[in-house]
Amino acid sequence: MAISNKRIGIVGARGHTGAELIRLVAAHPALELAYVSSRELNGQRVEDHVEAYKGELRYSSPAHEELPSLDADVVVLALPNGKASVCVKAFDAAGKSPVIVDLSADYRFDNTWYYGLPELTRNKWRGEKRISNPGCYATAIQLSVAPLKDVLAAPPVCFGVSGYSGAGTTPSDKNNPEKLRDNLMPYSLTGHMHEKEASRHLGIPVEFMPHVAPHFRGLTVTTNLYLSRALKREDVLARFQQAYAGEKLVRVLDEAPWVSQIAGKHHAEVGGFALSADGKRVVVVATLDNLLKGAATQAMQNINRAIGVDEYTSIPV
């Protein structure tokens, strides 16, 4: 039985993640773009900005109160932190309940929303239509720590480096190629939003120190884990292989992955697994593309599950 196409609206689509989502939707057999909102690009053709999309659709700039009347089955909120709730309240007020996927941090701490990191929370999904998409760093941190959570002797310590696309499109030092050239820029060294997010969803405290580098896309997290008992390297490797067996978007490598090899890819890579001589400390390295598995690809996994098609539909595996 053929399924009728679902209409999807993207709110706040000017940014890098919005463009990646449009590419994934353009390749999707069961989704069609209903609207793509952007104040800055209002009136311009989507096709002129995202080559993968073919059609006459233009960017629009509806007020948040108008969104429910646009009748999308799925709505992706790709807005800065703090901006999602006015849109969500508009749907509630109108009595409309499309699938809403929020890419900001606004609902990652709200138990009434499903936290959509499929590889770790798949068995917790109860058909919710409100889905909070995890942060890019928080995804990499959790994938690095989860298989060893039960044998930790101390909070994991994570050193992160991201390309400057993670700093968004609003100009700042953190996405200024001139200031980043030959540089590594530390920021939010305690209390970063993704530190709080990973700590909450792992159920253990995590310490995280992020940096921005001169490359455009892709992030790497190196995590130091103290163990409550000595493990052999093959035991550690086996835990990760078992945890992610059958997961098409998490690859467990023997060697430490390189960030240069993850740009433009839809999966995360976890590897390294360097053990200290006494077997009670292990260092794990994870990489992912912050715009894809860290944002748009993960959103598409969640959308696919919510509309009842194969989880990897339109995602190049």
Side-chain angles (χ1 to χ4, degrees), residues 5 15 40 56 84 91 106 115 117 120 145 148 166-167 169 173 191 239 266 272 285 292 294 299 304:
N5 276 16
E40 293 86 347
E56 293 305 310
F91 284 99
D106 292 8
Y115 182 72
L117 206 176
L120 297 179
V145 173
L148 292 170
T169 49
D173 285 354
R239 277 174 172 255
H266 292 266
V285 180
L292 296 175
N304 284 334

Side-chain angles (χ1 to χ4, degrees), residues 139 143 249-252 262 266-270 287-288 293:
T139 296
L143 292 173
L249 297 185
V250 179
R251 294 189 193 163
V252 177
I262 205 71
H266 292 266
H267 65 279
E269 296 185 345
V270 188
T287 60
L288 54 79
K293 182 56 177 158

Side-chain angles (χ1 to χ4, degrees), residues 48-219:
D48 293 340
H49 291 271
V50 184
E51 285 177 8
Y53 180 78
K54 298 287 178 256
E56 293 305 310
L57 188 69
R58 292 175 183 267
Y59 291 95
S60 57
S61 184
H64 55 263
E65 305 88 17
E66 295 171 54
L67 295 173
S69 66
L70 300 178
D71 281 340
D73 304 292
V74 180
V75 177
V76 179
L77 303 178
L79 297 164
N81 290 343
K83 305 280 192 199
S85 65
V86 290
C87 298
V88 173
K89 284 175 183 154
F91 284 99
D92 289 344
K96 294 279 181 81
S97 60
V99 172
I100 299 179
V101 180
D102 179 33
L103 302 190
S104 79
D106 292 8
Y107 293 97
R108 292 176 193 158
F109 301 86
D110 184 333
N111 288 334
T112 65
W113 283 58
Y114 169 69
Y115 182 72
L117 206 176
E119 291 78 13
L120 297 179
T121 65
R122 184 174 282 121
N123 61 354
K124 295 179 182 165
W125 188 58
R126 299 288 178 266
E128 291 94 342
K129 293 175 118 181
R130 304 273 168 105
I131 300 168
S132 173
N133 213 56
C136 52
Y137 268 133
T139 296
I141 292 168
Q142 290 174 79
L143 292 173
S144 303
V145 173
L148 292 170
K149 209 169 73 167
D150 61 318
V151 289
L152 294 180
V157 179
C158 311
F159 178 89
V161 180
S162 170
Y164 63 86
S165 60
T169 49
T170 304
S172 74
D173 285 354
K174 296 203 294 282
N175 57 18
N176 181 334
E178 278 304 304
K179 291 190 174 173
L180 283 165
R181 182 176 298 151
D182 302 324
N183 194 10
L184 192 62
M185 204 177 280
Y187 69 102
S188 301
L189 295 173
T190 61
H192 186 285
M193 181 67 77
H194 292 185
E195 176 180 279
K196 296 173 186 170
E197 178 185 341
S199 298
R200 175 184 173 90
H201 292 285
L202 284 166
I204 54 170
V206 169
E207 296 165 3
F208 171 52
M209 301 157 293
H211 300 68
V212 183
H215 65 277
F216 178 67
R217 60 196 298 160
L219 62 79

